[in-house]
Amino acid sequence: MPATVLLLAASPVGRGCLVDAASVLPVLAAVEPAVLSGADTANVVELADPLEPQAVLTRLRAAAAASGPLTVFVTGQLQLDRKQRLPHLALARTTPATVRYTALPWHWLREELRLRPPGATSLVLDLHADAETWQWLRANPLDVGRGNAVYGRVAPPPGRRAVASPTYMKAVATILRSGRRPPLEELHQQALLRIADEAPGLVLAAHGPAQDDPHAAISAAVQAGRHADAEALAAHHEQAAVRAHGPGSDPALHWSEVRADLAMLAGDPARSCRTWLSIAAARLAAGQPADAPAVEAAVDRAHHQWGQLHEPADARELGAHLADLRYRVPGRREGALDHVRRQLSQLQTQG
């Protein structure tokens, strides 16, 4: 089973650029795919200074869907959007005023990786932060998702009008060009030693899932095709979370999200769509704003699963609920509400 490697280097064009991210790609691309991945064979996808967040999301989603091991190398800069104050990976067209529309929300990366089996995903990061993002990171951890190994650093902003070099990632690439990939923790330590003459900033090092993580048992059941067992395990943890924290709590809604994902993996888009709709409604009822990442993600996933339905009766019933939610939660894709209304109109004419 081949591994997958995603090389992503991005930074804004012009005065907003903090790091020459793309300069590392020739060095990384010169490394043999098997060495980059740590596997016998690997498919390598390279994204150099991409323009559109949706294009990055498409490539990321395809890489996350691959069944073999996945290693993601990300070089770039982090900025906060002005509305929600959440971290984004700046892309070529990003400016401080347009972060929400031209940069990749960091939580998109986390969301796309969360369905992968625990221990199957590794991230190597060399990120630079502007001043306000650097202050944000001192109080908020950079979330890369449960069960993923992550190594790297986030550097503070360089001096005024200076453009930094991605020295950590270049050190990683140089070590790998020797033809051997050591264990990632060892690779990380070697790279830090090579840049010891500069302050590394915030060092990132997480080894992956804990042995007693219930998500690992659920993932194993899915991998074995035991979808009913996986659903039963998730439902058990959801009920425990409801008893301990309440039905609208984040722990309970997390397990609802797991069950929605499991329904999708089991080939039941109606159950998945219905569950995502109820999650979105619960988050809104709890006072979460319509543009909160968790609310937008729930409606987006309900919309996607609705598009997979084959039974007109299910599509009409769930589409009416989806249209109501889409009116309140338009999301980041233009025309999403119009799409639902058009599809519903066609379904009504079909009787």
Side-chain angles (χ1 to χ4, degrees):
M1 186 179 298
T4 301
V5 176
L6 178 62
L7 307 178
L8 171 57
S11 56
V13 174
R15 292 189 305 170
C17 182
L18 301 179
V19 57
D20 184 11
S23 66
V24 77
L25 282 178
V27 193
L28 277 173
V31 179
E32 289 291 326
V35 178
L36 279 174
S37 65
D40 292 337
T41 58
N43 300 312
V44 179
V45 179
E46 183 177 320
L47 290 174
D49 279 330
L51 300 177
E52 301 291 342
Q54 290 292 341
V56 179
L57 178 63
T58 298
R59 296 294 187 90
L60 176 63
R61 184 166 290 166
S67 53
L70 171 64
T71 307
V72 181
F73 295 84
V74 182
T75 308
Q77 68 186 62
L78 295 175
Q79 294 179 226
L80 302 180
D81 70 297
R82 289 180 173 177
K83 186 172 185 180
Q84 293 178 293
R85 312 284 298 168
L86 293 175
H88 290 60
L89 182 71
L91 303 182
R93 294 175 177 167
T94 300
T95 67
T98 65
V99 169
R100 178 168 167 81
Y101 305 102
T102 63
L104 181 78
W106 190 258
H107 60 267
W108 282 12
L109 185 145
R110 181 194 67 223
E111 284 292 313
E112 292 307 317
L113 298 179
R114 72 193 184 94
L115 291 184
R116 291 184 53 76
T121 308
S122 302
L123 298 98
V124 182
L125 310 176
D126 189 354
L127 303 170
H128 286 66
D130 63 11
E132 65 174 351
T133 309
W134 182 249
Q135 290 300 319
W136 185 91
L137 287 167
R138 297 180 71 173
N140 301 275
L142 189 64
D143 186 1
V144 297
R146 185 191 306 269
N148 302 320
V150 57
Y151 295 95
R153 60 92 178 255
V154 183
R160 184 176 176 82
R161 295 186 179 177
V163 176
S165 173
T167 51
Y168 172 86
M169 194 67 79
K170 286 185 174 179
V172 166
T174 301
I175 295 165
L176 293 176
R177 286 189 68 178
S178 67
R180 171 183 172 266
R181 171 169 144 164
L184 278 183
E185 185 172 6
E186 181 184 335
L187 176 65
H188 170 67
Q189 294 298 332
Q190 290 181 21
L192 288 178
L193 284 174
R194 292 197 178 209
I195 61 168
D197 58 341
E198 64 177 85
L202 174 65
V203 175
L204 307 171
H207 311 295
Q211 291 300 313
D212 58 351
D213 187 345
H215 298 79
I218 292 170
S219 179
V222 171
Q223 295 294 312
R226 295 184 286 107
H227 296 285
D229 290 346
E231 163 67 18
L233 280 169
H236 168 76
H237 288 288
E238 181 184 34
Q239 291 161 11
V242 167
R243 288 194 298 270
H245 306 284
S249 64
D250 277 341
L253 289 175
H254 164 74
W255 286 107
S256 297
E257 291 175 346
V258 171
R259 291 180 55 242
D261 286 334
L262 291 174
M264 178 196 69
L265 294 170
D268 189 345
R271 179 159 56 93
S272 182
C273 178
R274 185 173 285 107
T275 307
W276 281 119
L277 290 171
S278 67
I279 291 165
R283 290 193 179 279
L284 289 169
Q288 295 186 25
D291 60 357
V295 176
E296 286 187 342
V299 179
D300 287 347
R301 291 177 182 277
H303 195 155
H304 180 266
Q305 289 300 292
W306 183 66
Q308 309 302 308
L309 295 175
H310 300 297
E311 292 293 333
D314 287 340
R316 281 192 291 268
E317 174 207 345
L318 294 172
H321 295 299
L322 177 60
D324 289 341
L325 272 174
R326 265 297 178 215
Y327 181 76
R328 300 174 64 187
V329 187
R332 301 193 184 203
R333 296 190 179 186
E334 291 185 12
L337 176 59
D338 289 340
H339 172 262
V340 178
R341 287 173 170 169
R342 284 195 307 272
Q343 294 295 107
L344 272 178
S345 178
Q346 292 178 14
L347 285 165
Q348 297 301 337
T349 61
Q350 293 172 11

